[in-house]
Amino acid sequence: GFDLDLVRAVTRAVRIPVIASGGAGVPRHFVEAVTAADADAVLAASVFHYRTYSIAAVKAAMAAAGIPVRPAGGASLASAAGPEAAGGPALDGAGKESSG
């Protein structure tokens, strides 16, 4: 999983959003980075590139843990701001810009 001690130390030391990266192997790791280490966001590559888990499965695990996520497919999220709120593009579940 993510290095939770390191992520937690960074989130406590800085006043900018922290994105946990590197080490996620199962959906629970994404949840832990947000709930236990206070990461503002998480990212991963290998679990998706090698199709170990789908983006939808990870988002479902995060949503089940009470973490606001946009549904896979790029639909808007009413309970939390996504990247578009910070001026970035809205992305669909495949990481492509969506129209809304």
Side-chain angles (χ1 to χ4, degrees):
F2 296 102
D3 184 337
L4 299 179
D5 291 333
L6 177 61
V7 174
R8 189 178 305 106
V10 173
T11 61
R12 290 180 179 165
V14 301
R15 297 206 183 278
I16 59 172
V18 173
I19 302 171
S21 176
V26 296
R28 171 179 49 83
H29 293 156
F30 295 85
V31 172
E32 291 170 347
V34 174
T35 61
D38 297 322
D40 295 287
V42 292
L43 70 86
S46 295
V47 296
F48 303 128
H49 292 306
Y50 295 112
R51 298 182 183 193
T52 307
Y53 291 96
S54 68
I55 293 170
V58 170
K59 285 185 170 195
M62 293 180 76
I67 300 167
V69 296
R70 288 180 292 157
S76 296
L77 174 67
S79 62
E84 62 276 6
L91 303 178
D92 67 13
K96 297 178 182 173
E97 287 189 32
S98 67
S99 58

